[in-house]
Amino acid sequence: MAESTAPDKLSPIRLHKALDRVWRTGPGWQRLSAVNHTVLGKRFMLTAFVFFAIGGVLAMLIRAQLATPDSAFVGPEIYNQLFSMHGTVMMFLFAIPMLEGLAIYLLPKMLGARDLAFPRLTAYGYWCYLFGGTIIVVSMLFGAAPNSGWFMYTPLSSQPYTPGINADIWLLGVTFVEISAVSAAVEITVSILKMRAPGMSLDRMPLFAWYMLVTALMMVFGFPPLILGSILLELERAFGLPFFDPTRGGDSLLWQHLFWLFGHPEVYIIFLPAAGALSTIIPVFAQRQIVGYHAIIAAIVALAFLSFGLWVHHMFTVGIPHLALAFFSAASALVAIPTAVQIFAWLATLAHGRPRFDIPMLYVTGFFLVFVIGGLTGVMLAMVPFDQQAHDSYFVVAHLHYVLVGGFVFPMLAAVYYWLPHITGRATVHRISVPAFWLIFVGFNLTFFMMHLTGLMGMPRRVYTYPSNFGWDWLNLLSSIGGFILTMGFALFAVDMILQFRFGRGFRRNIWKASTLDWAMPTRPPSYAFASLPSIDKRADAIDPDSLGPQLASGHGYLGFVRRGRMETLGVDMTTGKLEHVVVLPNSTYLPLISASLTGAMVLCLLFKLYPLAVIFALSTLASFFFWAARTGSKDDEGPIDVGCGERALPDTEVDGPTPWWAMVFALAANGTLFASLIFGTLYLWLVAPAWPPTEIASVDILVVGAAILQLAAAALMRWSNGLNLSGKAFMPALMATLLIDLGALVLFSIALFALPDPTSHAHIATVAALIGYGWLHAFGGLAFGFNALLKAHHGYVSPRRSLSLRLTRLWHDYTAITGVLGVGLILLMPSLIGMLEGVR
């Protein structure tokens, strides 16, 4: 039995030194092993700003080309790469990672925790983001950058029309980055729900946490359609499977559906964290609590739901039935209501407070002016007749930038000025921050307001030059001048940040007199965030950091000690915030960097068609994850342990719903969204695509039915194995039998794939192959999870009270069985559906 009592109480200085020894990241090369959320959050944000600067340079090259008619500054091929890379960098390499970095840095501090739930996953996500983004950006140096637009519409991005590796770089690089983003979304979701200060129920969370919770859930369900679309398009380009080729039963519009199933929620995924920053900053400078706390929560949840029903908003001109046009047009207009609720709540907070003006409020004011214009033009584009006139014109470009820059960049700049003192421990130098704002504000409006006019005058987007007889000349010249003014503003902003790091004046804590937990700590924040964790008995945006901070620093809270050199924080009940268990986090390690490097090598091998090497690196990446799990957990049943404040709690290895279990639930939810997208794509092609019915029907019924039966048997046996362990009986034979059954399902799926007719002949065979491949991958995943559970049990990490690895394996097998039955059912049903189609046509 391990020790269950807390160590002796230490003085504040000795407590700080003891905690720092455990939580800090070492100097020099040891920085590469960092898993601390403060370090990684800053890395995400700094890297995102670097990519933002690259995207800005690309924008300036675009504006230089369009400044005058018939310009020969760059040719059409280079221009296509410039505008494709500008959109890709800003959407995938700046906006999403920037909001992730802000969340990674702030959430534990706002929620009263010491770190996020999975520090190694955070580190792995960062390295994947860095390597994936580098692959995409470096491609420009070799003239091989993506050149089909940041939206990669087919058939332009298909192999016959983009024969080089340009499109492959986008598909593989963005998929690499997106998988990292989904991992971060799962971690943020679980951390918010399970790792808060005791007493912080959901209705006491700060609004920023609510915004990030909704955003992370949107990422969990919104990104998989794009990941699936990228995989299918890469399979088409690399192996000829005709998912998007209308001559062989595919349909180019399937890509648009999959892309915009991601793309429209993406706009709100970008906006909501910025709105969360506004809901944090505005009450501080209004000097009163936010108006309409519960109304704002209802509005952001409604916004999230509505955003998933708007993807056809981008496809009004592709031939959608009139009833569908009416529905999606109404939904597109309706989404303005929850947005307006938030804006009116912020304005009411300012109106009912005693506003004081400072640099962050300059950017908040800029947000109100710019974003409202973007919202109004959005309502205009929601109306089908107007959209059909303005579609693919510069009016849409102007609207997009007013929404994204107004709704994300201006709030993020306000957030930088608000939280940078927290990061640096220094206050800003105001001498150049005001002119920087005015250059950005004036330059932005001069650049993009003119585009509304050029769009209404008929200028199409994505053209690299234009004649001089349409009256667009002076408007484009003004837009280009505005772009360079905007660039000067951002350059001045960057200088201001550097000056703050170097010359800013120091302060003790809470420079803005805020009332959230993130300011109840020293600045710069220590590696462990809080020396002891608080108990919350009111809304977490109404506390007094100035009095609470010294108490926590003195150890007068939970876990105000170091136990056996472990990194400990607390887990709570999802809804009530009641203290539930102690979470033991992993120390610094190079494993995330190694795993990300192996993953990056796999992506490069796929890019250059070195498929045998890619398989080797994929297996090596999987093997590295086994090293992650090797020493995770405990070999002892500890029972309740002391957490301070006179309370005791179980370690996370001995509770029913620890953070890894919930992470698996949300990861499988994302996986299920990808599977549902595959089902949607299969049925969509059957219903809509030309060149149907196919001349040959896939006939592998016996094989796939046998595999599905084996997956059901494996799920049942895994449940039995888990039950045997809980009752203290021998479970290893049942677990090994489960692995054998998984192997049998894998073999049957493999035979079924080889027994199919040529999958390049028709989309019907290709979609059946994709469904079988999905089942194959999950059978292989069952083997991996089962093997890991076997290793954990062999090394003494499993007991009736410590059964997490078995329960995770059971969860995977349950999901695999359900999706296996559904996938095989659709395969069996397809001949009948094709027969019905043949009868109709």
Side-chain angles (χ1 to χ4, degrees):
M1 178 71 68
E3 78 176 85
S4 60
T5 58
D8 294 336
K9 186 173 177 59
L10 302 174
S11 67
I13 299 298
R14 293 182 63 191
L15 176 60
H16 162 73
K17 291 181 177 179
L19 285 166
D20 191 57
R21 277 194 298 271
V22 174
W23 288 84
R24 71 184 173 191
T25 302
W29 289 104
Q30 294 179 49
R31 302 286 292 178
L32 298 176
S33 69
V35 296
N36 185 278
H37 80 100
T38 299
V39 174
L40 293 170
K42 290 189 288 188
R43 284 182 184 174
F44 263 103
M45 289 187 283
L46 181 60
T47 308
F49 270 122
V50 171
F51 283 124
F52 178 70
I54 293 171
V57 171
L58 295 174
M60 291 304 96
L61 295 175
I62 293 170
R63 288 315 316 168
Q65 169 65 19
L66 295 177
T68 56
D70 300 313
S71 173
F73 180 64
V74 296
E77 175 60 26
I78 296 299
Y79 184 82
N80 285 341
Q81 293 187 25
L82 289 176
F83 91 80
S84 300
M85 283 297 299
H86 170 69
T88 299
V89 167
M90 290 305 197
M91 295 295 285
F92 296 106
L93 303 183
F94 165 63
I96 295 297
M98 183 67 192
L99 70 88
E100 288 175 351
L102 186 66
I104 288 166
Y105 179 84
L106 278 181
L107 281 174
K109 299 172 175 62
M110 279 193 166
L111 298 175
R114 284 178 173 157
D115 210 320
L116 296 173
F118 310 106
R120 293 180 299 183
L121 186 61
T122 309
Y124 175 73
Y126 171 74
W127 294 117
C128 285
Y129 159 52
L130 178 63
F131 296 157
T134 301
I135 290 170
I136 295 172
V137 169
V138 168
S139 67
M140 290 189 295
L141 302 179
F142 300 95
N147 56 0
S148 303
W150 72 274
F151 35 78
M152 290 295 289
Y153 282 169
T154 57
L156 179 61
S157 58
S158 298
Q159 187 69 27
Y161 304 101
T162 307
I165 65 169
N166 305 63
D168 300 302
I169 288 172
W170 191 97
L171 293 168
L172 293 170
V174 166
T175 301
F176 193 9
V177 172
E178 292 295 280
I179 291 173
S180 162
V182 172
S183 300
V186 170
E187 176 170 31
I188 289 169
T189 302
V190 174
S191 298
I192 293 172
L193 290 175
K194 294 295 295 181
M195 294 178 64
R196 309 191 297 269
M200 189 186 291
S201 58
L202 286 179
D203 61 351
R204 289 177 177 171
M205 284 201 312
L207 278 174
F208 183 81
W210 268 107
Y211 275 100
M212 285 311 309
L213 175 61
V214 173
T215 301
L217 287 171
M218 290 176 69
M219 291 167 70
V220 166
F221 293 104
F223 284 13
L226 177 62
I227 293 172
L228 174 71
S230 300
I231 292 170
L232 296 183
L233 183 52
E234 183 59 26
L235 287 173
E236 178 173 300
R237 291 179 54 83
F239 303 109
L241 275 67
F243 299 105
F244 307 103
D245 182 358
T247 64
R248 293 180 288 159
D251 194 331
S252 297
L253 287 183
L254 175 60
W255 171 265
Q256 286 199 40
H257 281 289
L258 292 175
F259 182 87
W260 290 116
L261 276 168
F262 146 83
H264 202 88
E266 162 87 341
V267 174
Y268 299 99
I269 287 169
I270 291 172
F271 167 66
L272 285 177
L278 293 171
S279 293
T280 304
I281 295 169
I282 288 173
V284 173
F285 290 96
Q287 301 185 75
R288 64 149 296 152
Q289 278 191 294
I290 191 81
V291 171
Y293 173 89
H294 293 96
I296 290 175
I297 293 171
I300 59 179
V301 172
L303 193 65
F305 277 103
L306 286 170
S307 70
F308 281 95
L310 302 182
W311 80 93
V312 179
H313 172 93
H314 299 267
M315 301 172 63
F316 282 166
T317 62
V318 302
I320 301 296
H322 286 182
L323 183 61
L325 287 177
F327 171 82
F328 286 105
S329 178
S332 300
L334 189 64
V335 79
I337 296 174
T339 307
V341 168
Q342 297 168 77
I343 291 175
F344 284 124
W346 297 328
L347 292 174
T349 303
L350 290 169
H352 288 82
R354 291 174 290 109
R356 54 188 173 93
F357 219 76
D358 214 316
I359 301 303
M361 284 302 294
L362 267 178
Y363 287 97
V364 172
T365 305
F367 154 79
F368 280 123
L369 296 173
V370 172
F371 186 74
V372 167
I373 294 174
L376 291 174
T377 57
V379 174
M380 294 167 67
L381 289 169
M383 302 300 107
V384 175
F386 182 85
D387 182 85
Q388 290 178 334
Q389 297 299 314
H391 187 75
D392 264 348
S393 75
Y394 260 84
F395 189 93
V396 178
V397 177
H399 159 70
L400 179 70
H401 284 83
Y402 264 85
V403 169
L404 293 182
V405 176
F408 182 74
V409 175
F410 274 90
M412 282 296 104
L413 294 175
V416 167
Y417 276 107
Y418 179 74
W419 276 297
L420 196 60
H422 194 287
I423 296 172
T424 64
R426 295 176 180 270
T428 185
V429 178
H430 286 179
R431 291 172 185 167
I432 60 175
S433 52
V434 174
F437 165 78
W438 285 111
L439 285 172
I440 291 171
F441 183 77
V442 172
F444 171 81
N445 282 284
L446 184 59
T447 301
F448 293 103
F449 189 82
M450 300 304 162
M451 292 183 187
H452 290 105
L453 304 180
T454 54
L456 290 174
M457 293 172 67
M459 182 174 177
R461 56 180 171 170
R462 307 169 200 145
V463 293
Y464 84 101
T465 190
Y466 54 92
S468 60
N469 57 348
F470 287 135
W472 305 336
D473 312 29
W474 67 279
L475 292 171
N476 274 299
L477 181 60
L478 285 177
S479 283
S480 295
I481 292 171
F484 283 92
I485 294 172
L486 179 63
T487 302
M488 289 188 287
F490 279 116
L492 206 56
F493 166 81
V495 171
D496 193 27
M497 295 300 100
I498 295 169
L499 290 176
Q500 177 171 335
F501 272 96
R502 183 67 180 86
F503 300 110
R505 58 181 174 81
F507 63 95
R508 283 185 59 81
R509 83 170 79 231
N510 199 12
I511 186 174
W512 304 115
K513 302 303 177 186
S515 55
T516 49
L517 274 173
D518 48 315
W519 294 100
M521 62 175 60
T523 49
R524 300 180 298 176
S527 56
Y528 48 83
F530 295 98
S532 59
L533 303 183
S535 176
I536 301 298
D537 58 2
K538 63 177 72 171
R539 253 180 42 196
D541 59 356
I543 64 169
D544 181 9
D546 295 318
S547 61
L548 180 62
Q551 297 175 28
L552 299 178
S554 300
H556 298 297
Y558 292 100
L559 297 179
F561 50 79
V562 175
R563 186 185 356 241
R564 291 187 289 159
R566 300 196 307 194
M567 296 167 58
E568 293 182 338
T569 188
L570 295 178
V572 298
D573 179 79
M574 273 191 180
T575 54
T576 66
K578 182 181 178 182
L579 174 62
E580 198 173 71
H581 60 274
V582 178
V583 180
V584 180
L585 300 174
N587 297 93
S588 298
T589 173
Y590 292 100
L591 281 173
L593 175 58
I594 293 169
S595 297
S597 300
L598 292 171
T599 310
M602 179 191 72
V603 169
L604 288 173
C605 289
L606 289 172
L607 183 62
F608 293 108
K609 317 299 183 188
L610 304 173
Y611 297 117
L613 268 179
V615 172
I616 291 172
F617 279 115
L619 294 174
S620 300
T621 303
L622 179 63
S624 72
F625 290 136
F626 281 105
F627 283 100
W628 286 39
R631 299 186 182 276
T632 302
S634 173
K635 291 187 177 183
D636 299 307
D637 292 338
E638 296 187 58
I641 56 177
D642 198 331
V643 296
C645 299
E647 296 192 50
R648 300 167 73 84
L650 288 169
D652 55 350
T653 55
E654 299 177 27
V655 295
D656 289 336
T659 50
W661 192 88
W662 282 107
M664 176 66 86
V665 169
F666 289 110
L668 291 178
N671 195 347
T673 306
L674 187 144
F675 179 71
S677 301
L678 180 57
I679 297 290
F680 164 79
T682 302
L683 294 175
Y684 177 86
L685 293 179
W686 163 68
L687 280 170
V688 175
W692 281 67
T695 57
E696 193 171 13
I697 305 296
S699 180
V700 287
D701 297 0
I702 296 175
L703 293 169
V704 295
V705 168
I709 291 172
L710 287 180
Q711 287 181 322
L712 285 170
L717 198 55
M718 194 60 233
R719 283 181 165 270
W720 184 44
S721 176
N722 189 63
L724 289 172
N725 173 61
L726 293 177
S727 60
K729 298 177 182 177
F731 65 90
M732 296 282 275
L735 180 57
M736 287 187 282
T738 304
L739 294 179
L740 290 174
I741 294 175
D742 284 329
L743 185 60
L746 198 64
V747 169
L748 287 180
F749 276 130
S750 300
I751 296 172
L753 278 173
F754 284 107
L756 281 174
D758 181 10
T760 66
S761 62
H762 195 273
H764 162 59
I765 310 297
T767 53
V768 170
L771 289 166
I772 294 174
Y774 187 89
W776 188 96
L777 285 172
H778 284 74
F780 184 81
L783 272 175
F785 273 99
F787 183 67
N788 177 63
L790 201 62
L791 287 177
K792 300 285 282 186
H794 176 72
H795 288 99
Y797 288 96
V798 177
S799 75
R801 293 176 62 173
R802 292 174 285 109
S803 60
L804 177 61
S805 57
L806 291 178
R807 288 190 288 124
L808 293 178
T809 307
R810 187 193 75 184
L811 201 57
W812 179 271
H813 279 83
D814 288 345
Y815 173 85
T816 299
I818 293 169
T819 54
V821 168
L822 292 174
V824 168
L826 182 57
I827 292 172
L828 298 178
L829 190 61
M830 281 306 297
S832 300
L833 294 175
I834 291 170
M836 292 168 50
L837 185 68
E838 192 169 6
V840 171
R841 291 185 178 178

